[in-house]
Amino acid sequence: MDVFERDRWFTSFTESAVDYDNIISQSEDWIWSLGERSKSKCDIAVIVPVYDRAKYQTTLMNHLRQAIAEYDGKESIQVIFIENSEVQKHKDGFGFENPDNKLFSYLWIKKDSEEYFNKSLCHNLGAILFRTASYFLFHDIDTIMPKDFFIKLMANIKETGRIAVQGFRDKRLKYCNEQLTRKFLDGQITYNDDFREYQDDLSTGAEGAPGGSIFINKHIFFKAGGFCPEFFSGYSVEDQFFWNCVELYGTIGSSNNPPIELLHLFHEPSYNKTTKDCDWSFFHTFMGAIREEQFHMTQLRSEHLMKFIPNEA
């Protein structure tokens, strides 16, 4: 790796390293239904980053409720939606005023209109807030699951000895067309209904990037430095970068045993979005480094993230 590029990588990270405590303290007035919940032990913390996709929220929440009820009661899994936006669009619908809401939490991180949506920031904040969980699931709001999802997900990671898995089989999703998506959003059907008559409205996607639904051991997440909001935002390669860092520490894979099919709800494709040149530069600098340097880069990020979770991870 070019010495100049390596030094620029380290300097850029050090100068832009996120102060998570400051962000959380500034966001205290925007936390609903979080309270002491994040301090209690749970098996899995589900972290859902959101920006301008509010129409999918209720559908995902309903499917999460069914899957969590099937798993092992409400206390073993917690869910937090973290919105990074100029204006709140995802607060409504959680039922925060309902004392029976013991499942969903919500955090709004306000951004300026000139700033990019930062999914990596949402992921890391969720992990810090729910650092007492045993596992993290980073899951997209437009992807729904069957009711046995968490049972199969845990089996995939425990029975295979992997440190992380993608939450669906063969690195690809099943895609719903616009008509089928509308039925899900309107509550006419759920994944757990018999919708064989709608098979023509589903298509199998090509093998894609390692995102969408990532299930990982908590200790490995922090050891690998978490996601990298300093370098990746907007339409970027944050998932691939994270995956490459995790692979330094063990075996990862897809949820093939037992197989899990997830359904991706329709939205307009991101044809006009491109990854920023600076994001690619930081990504390729890391990928071009020898393994020893990659460990050094990852350790730097890990040490920074661990400052915000003393005696926890």
Side-chain angles (χ1 to χ4, degrees):
M1 178 174 55
D2 182 85
V3 174
F4 173 78
E5 289 299 322
R6 180 194 63 195
D7 291 345
R8 187 174 75 92
W9 199 99
F10 282 106
T11 300
S12 296
F13 178 82
T14 302
E15 291 178 348
S16 61
V18 173
D19 185 342
Y20 295 98
D21 284 343
N22 183 55
I23 292 176
I24 293 171
S25 66
Q26 290 182 357
S27 306
E28 284 181 355
D29 292 339
W30 302 327
I31 299 179
W32 286 271
S33 196
L34 193 57
E36 296 296 308
R37 186 179 312 162
S38 62
K39 299 178 183 179
S40 61
K41 182 71 174 177
C42 63
D43 289 341
I44 303 169
V46 182
I47 299 162
V48 184
V50 292
Y51 175 72
D52 202 25
R53 291 274 168 87
K55 68 179 182 179
Y56 301 101
Q57 182 170 300
T58 298
T59 301
L60 176 60
M61 289 172 67
N62 289 338
H63 283 81
L64 282 169
R65 284 191 186 95
Q66 293 179 351
I68 290 170
E70 189 81 5
Y71 176 65
D72 189 23
K74 296 181 179 179
E75 299 304 319
S76 55
I77 300 177
Q78 292 292 323
V79 182
I80 183 167
F81 287 72
I82 300 184
E83 181 174 9
N84 181 215
S85 62
E86 308 88 68
V87 179
Q88 284 179 300
K89 295 184 179 180
H90 288 265
K91 177 188 173 184
D92 295 337
F94 284 94
F96 296 113
E97 70 287 348
N98 185 345
D100 292 331
N101 173 33
K102 302 183 184 302
L103 177 60
F104 296 105
S105 297
Y106 167 82
L107 174 64
W108 178 35
I109 302 301
K110 188 175 183 179
K111 73 177 187 67
D112 295 332
S113 58
E114 296 80 15
E115 293 179 304
Y116 290 97
F117 167 61
N118 198 319
K119 184 171 75 171
S120 295
L121 177 64
C122 296
H123 284 329
N124 285 359
L125 282 168
I128 290 170
L129 288 169
F130 282 90
R131 55 189 176 269
T132 57
S134 299
Y135 297 91
F136 298 136
L137 173 67
F138 302 100
H139 194 85
D140 287 355
I141 195 171
D142 55 12
T143 302
I144 57 176
M145 67 284 291
K147 63 182 180 181
D148 59 358
F149 174 62
F150 289 109
I151 297 172
K152 288 184 175 180
L153 197 59
M154 193 64 80
N156 267 279
I157 206 166
K158 285 189 172 182
E159 294 179 12
T160 62
R162 300 183 187 276
I163 59 173
V165 294
Q166 203 166 21
F168 45 91
R169 64 181 301 176
D170 301 327
K171 296 183 181 180
R172 91 291 181 278
L173 293 160
K174 289 279 191 177
Y175 285 84
C176 304
N177 65 16
E178 195 167 1
Q179 291 73 30
L180 182 56
T181 295
R182 177 50 53 194
K183 293 182 183 296
F184 280 117
L185 297 182
D186 290 344
Q188 298 179 43
I189 59 172
T190 74
Y191 190 119
N192 303 306
D193 295 327
D194 184 356
F195 57 97
R196 283 176 291 182
E197 63 182 288
Y198 302 113
Q199 290 304 306
D200 290 343
D201 297 313
L202 286 169
S203 60
T204 302
E207 181 176 313
S213 185
I214 299 174
F215 188 55
I216 185 168
N217 176 286
K218 179 264 295 286
H219 298 288
I220 296 298
F221 173 83
F222 287 114
K223 190 174 183 178
F227 287 82
C228 191
E230 292 85 359
F231 291 162
F232 306 106
S233 61
Y235 188 78
S236 194
V237 288
E238 69 283 335
D239 291 328
Q240 184 65 62
F241 177 79
F242 173 70
W243 217 235
N244 291 334
C245 293
V246 172
E247 284 184 311
L248 293 172
Y249 298 97
T251 304
I252 57 179
S254 299
S255 291
N256 293 332
N257 183 28
I260 300 175
E261 293 280 12
L262 296 187
L263 302 184
H264 185 281
L265 303 176
F266 176 85
H267 59 75
E268 292 297 329
S270 304
Y271 291 136
N272 297 322
K273 296 182 179 179
T274 56
T275 299
K276 302 184 293 297
D277 289 341
C278 59
D279 295 34
W280 279 121
S281 177
F282 288 122
F283 177 80
H284 288 307
T285 297
F286 178 83
M287 293 304 297
I290 62 173
R291 191 173 180 84
E292 181 180 356
E293 289 177 325
Q294 289 180 338
F295 272 114
H296 188 194
M297 292 170 161
T298 302
Q299 184 179 13
L300 174 69
R301 295 174 41 254
S302 176
E303 289 174 352
H304 174 71
L305 196 59
M306 295 284 282
K307 294 177 184 176
F308 303 96
I309 53 164
N311 305 317
E312 292 285 358

